[in-house]
Amino acid sequence: MKPFLLILPALFLSCALNCAELDFDALNQSAKDNLINLINIDTSQPEPQETKALRYIYKKLNKYKIDWDIYRTEKPRGNLIAVLKADKELAKRNEKPLILISHLDTAAIQDGWTLPPAKATLKDNRIYGLGSTDAKNYAAINLTILTRLSKGDFKLNRDIIFLFTSDEESGSEKGIKFLYDRYPEKLKAGYALNEGGGVMKNEDGKIPVDILFVEAATKMYMDILVTAKGDGGNASSVGANNAIYKLSQTLATIESYQPLYKFSPLAKTFFERIFPYQDDDAQTTLKLLASEDPLQAQQTAKIISEDEFFKTQISDTITPTVLTSGTEANTAFNEASANLNCRLLPQSDPMAFVDELSALFAEDENVTLTVIERPEIPFPQPPASFDDPLFKAIEKAAEQTFPGILVLPGLTPASSESEFLRRHGVITYGIGPLLQENGNGPHQPDESISEKDFFEQLKLTFNIVLNLVTDPQPKADAPESETNEEDKEREPVQDDFLPIIQEGAAAI
């Protein structure tokens, strides 16, 4: 019996230290409070004033005695960094830090809202408000994770850098680009978790299995101005050589143009992972897609690209967005232009793309193409494989949160701060809540998130973080309640006495 007497106490001690369970109900309430309070702070473009949201965040951090720093180009446009340090013993492993990033600005307020955009509304088990899915839900969850882990009952094997940024919706010049230009040492990390992905549920039968789409790369953003020239003059006498007619013909030519489909390693991984879940016909089509015969592969890709989501994975895209011509109703202007918003695959050559597009009009001197905004080259490429610790943590967390779900890395056409992280060598993935098809998603009137989806996003994110930054079992859990003790040393100072660019505990 002696061996059992020795083993049982050891097992009991191990469980006492390592069998803790998080109180996700309490964490969910904290995260919901954070989301509601952040929505209630208007940070919409074109003048978002993210510092207002930072005040809410740093006051919360003060209650937990969490140190923080604020960096900004001007008073209203702040970025906050807070760091949870690794356990002293585990820090000796020199594991690369993890960044949890979320931006605080939102899209501009559009017409069509039936509820107050900058005031959270709880209705029919949904949380309505600007930023509820882009990206104050991420900020609220990251803030909840930060305050919970600050209690110290989980031993961290690496630092976690919590980054709340500004200006993401208009190019990040005052946000992460500014931080990398001025304070790159603050963002030294190996991994980052950001927005960009989401959950697709098999509830309506449109997809064969539940999917967690993980953003592993973004497309390149490019704007091209196409201009058509014609005769100008009084609208009563101008004939067929009208610039607007010419432009419409030009756009029709561009609409019918299809760049060659490209099959990157990421696209190959994407289609390989969905292959087992397809029916026989679909599997046959995917096999043809992988054909060594280029013509057959292109023809198959054309069929597959009828699905818009599949098309984003293998094709450069062109979308006209802004039309301009005359300003007088009774006058025909001699030029008409359209902005072409192009999203290019990471392996595409932007200038070769422009050359191919220009070749369509090589013999027409009345049509010109001008690059307005081009991507910075070289552009970050997607991972060659998905065997890094963060992706493994995502796969494990997905199974913990949504048993049986397919984890599908892929490409998103949208731009995000992930591009800048990847440019600095940080392995970055994007996740998110349920991808909505009901018109209440990012940048749309009555933007909202269901309370259930928000709760699942919280659990998914927390599980990913714990899988990466803790050893297989954490120490015992601690009570969830906040400390009410005031942190007198962290009392904010008056804005009137602040420099433009600030660093330090009393930055605001």
Side-chain angles (χ1 to χ4, degrees):
M1 296 294 295
K2 187 174 182 180
F4 293 98
L5 291 175
L6 290 175
I7 291 172
L8 287 173
L11 288 174
F12 177 79
L13 178 61
S14 174
C15 190
L17 289 178
N18 299 322
C19 295
E21 291 185 3
L22 290 168
D23 184 350
F24 270 113
D25 289 335
L27 290 170
N28 185 46
Q29 187 58 56
S30 176
K32 281 175 56 179
D33 291 343
N34 289 335
L35 177 57
I36 290 167
N37 286 321
L38 288 171
I39 289 173
N40 289 342
I41 302 169
D42 185 357
T43 56
S44 59
Q45 291 284 353
E47 298 179 359
Q49 302 187 54
E50 297 92 344
T51 298
K52 293 180 180 179
L54 292 184
R55 288 195 181 96
Y56 171 78
I57 291 172
Y58 79 65
K59 288 179 180 178
K60 174 79 72 169
L61 299 186
N62 287 350
K63 292 181 180 180
Y64 285 84
K65 299 183 182 297
I66 299 170
D67 198 15
W68 46 267
D69 294 294
I70 285 179
Y71 310 87
R72 55 190 184 177
T73 57
E74 54 192 83
K75 284 186 177 181
R77 311 301 304 275
N79 304 274
L80 185 147
I81 298 176
V83 180
L84 292 183
K85 303 296 290 184
D87 175 81
K88 289 183 179 179
E89 286 299 315
L90 297 181
K92 295 176 182 178
R93 301 180 188 173
N94 293 317
E95 301 283 6
K96 294 179 179 179
L98 167 70
I99 291 177
L100 292 182
I101 181 172
S102 52
H103 65 89
L104 296 172
D105 61 319
T106 70
I109 299 174
Q110 297 188 41
D111 294 335
W113 279 82
T114 64
L115 297 167
K119 185 178 187 304
T121 302
L122 275 67
K123 180 182 177 182
D124 299 328
N125 298 315
R126 299 188 70 85
I127 303 170
Y128 289 82
L130 197 60
S132 55
T133 60
D134 183 21
K136 290 182 176 180
N137 54 325
Y138 295 85
I141 288 171
N142 290 351
L143 178 57
T144 302
I145 293 173
L146 170 56
T147 53
R148 176 60 189 84
L149 292 183
S150 72
K151 296 179 180 181
D153 53 327
F154 286 89
K155 284 188 174 183
L156 307 184
N157 58 32
R158 69 188 73 225
D159 293 351
I160 310 177
I161 302 168
F162 291 83
L163 182 55
F164 301 91
T165 62
S166 65
D167 203 33
E168 189 272 347
E169 296 290 356
S170 60
S172 299
E173 292 289 343
K174 297 180 174 73
I176 194 168
K177 288 179 71 174
F178 159 72
L179 291 172
Y180 267 120
D181 287 344
R182 296 292 298 270
Y183 305 98
E185 73 282 357
K186 302 293 183 181
L187 303 181
K188 287 185 177 179
Y191 309 97
L193 196 62
N194 195 10
E195 62 176 336
V199 175
M200 293 180 277
K201 292 288 184 70
N202 183 29
E203 294 174 348
D204 53 10
K206 289 183 180 180
I207 56 175
V209 65
D210 289 351
I211 293 172
L212 173 62
F213 179 76
V214 179
E215 186 248 78
T218 62
K219 283 189 166 180
M220 292 184 276
Y221 181 103
M222 191 174 198
D223 281 321
I224 301 173
L225 187 71
V226 56
T227 302
K229 295 181 180 180
D231 295 333
N234 192 297
S236 65
S237 59
V238 174
N241 191 26
N242 179 284
I244 293 178
Y245 285 147
K246 182 67 175 177
L247 178 64
S248 67
Q249 295 163 5
T250 301
L251 292 176
T253 300
I254 293 173
E255 182 184 20
S256 63
Y257 169 68
Q258 174 57 56
L260 283 176
Y261 297 99
K262 304 182 181 78
F263 308 103
S264 66
L266 177 58
K268 182 179 179 182
T269 299
F270 177 90
F271 288 111
E272 282 178 347
R273 290 201 175 210
I274 66 171
F275 181 85
Y277 301 94
Q278 306 300 306
D279 60 26
D280 290 343
D281 289 343
Q283 287 188 351
T284 300
T285 302
L286 291 179
K287 288 177 181 177
L288 292 174
L289 186 67
S291 171
E292 295 183 2
D293 180 347
L295 180 59
Q296 188 175 69
Q298 290 292 317
Q299 290 173 337
T300 307
K302 184 177 181 180
I303 296 171
I304 285 181
S305 67
E306 292 177 4
D307 182 300
E308 289 297 326
F309 187 69
F310 284 175
K311 184 176 181 179
T312 63
Q313 305 300 303
I314 57 176
S315 178
D316 300 325
T317 60
I318 307 168
T319 305
T321 54
V322 180
L323 301 175
T324 56
S325 187
T327 57
E328 301 294 332
N330 64 351
T331 303
F333 196 57
N334 63 358
E335 287 187 355
S337 300
N339 184 79
L340 305 177
N341 184 245
C342 307
R343 304 301 176 104
L344 309 184
L345 296 166
Q347 71 268 31
S348 293
D349 181 337
M351 298 319 297
F353 175 82
V354 175
D355 290 342
E356 290 172 10
L357 204 57
S358 299
L360 299 175
F361 312 100
E363 298 180 2
D364 192 339
E365 61 182 11
N366 290 320
V367 176
T368 58
L369 275 71
T370 306
V371 177
I372 302 300
E373 182 173 344
R374 72 183 66 192
E376 181 184 342
I377 300 298
F379 193 78
Q381 297 298 305
S385 61
F386 297 94
D387 57 359
D388 59 88
L390 178 54
F391 195 81
K392 290 179 179 179
I394 292 172
E395 290 183 308
K396 182 178 179 181
E399 183 62 28
Q400 292 168 329
T401 312
F402 310 102
I405 200 168
L406 169 65
V407 180
L408 185 62
L411 184 70
T412 59
S415 304
S416 75
E417 295 161 309
S418 295
E419 175 187 339
F420 306 106
L421 291 159
R422 292 175 180 133
R423 286 191 181 280
H424 290 83
V426 181
I427 296 173
T428 306
Y429 295 110
I431 60 164
L434 184 72
L435 295 173
Q436 302 183 55
E437 297 182 359
N438 61 1
N440 295 122
H443 295 214
Q444 295 177 324
D446 289 344
E447 178 184 353
S448 66
I449 187 170
S450 80
E451 294 189 54
K452 177 177 179 291
D453 294 337
F454 182 67
F455 185 34
E456 290 178 343
Q457 183 187 356
L458 168 68
K459 290 195 290 185
L460 174 66
T461 308
F462 217 133
N463 284 334
I464 293 170
V465 172
L466 290 181
N467 289 340
L468 181 67
V469 307
T470 66
D471 284 349
Q473 295 291 340
K475 293 192 298 181
D477 201 3
E480 293 293 335
S481 60
E482 294 184 3
T483 175
N484 293 321
E485 183 179 349
E486 293 291 335
D487 185 358
K488 296 181 180 179
E489 295 181 359
R490 300 301 304 272
E491 187 69 26
V493 299
Q494 295 297 319
D495 269 354
D496 294 343
F497 301 100
L498 300 178
I500 293 296
I501 298 173
Q502 297 170 313
E503 180 176 359
I508 290 189

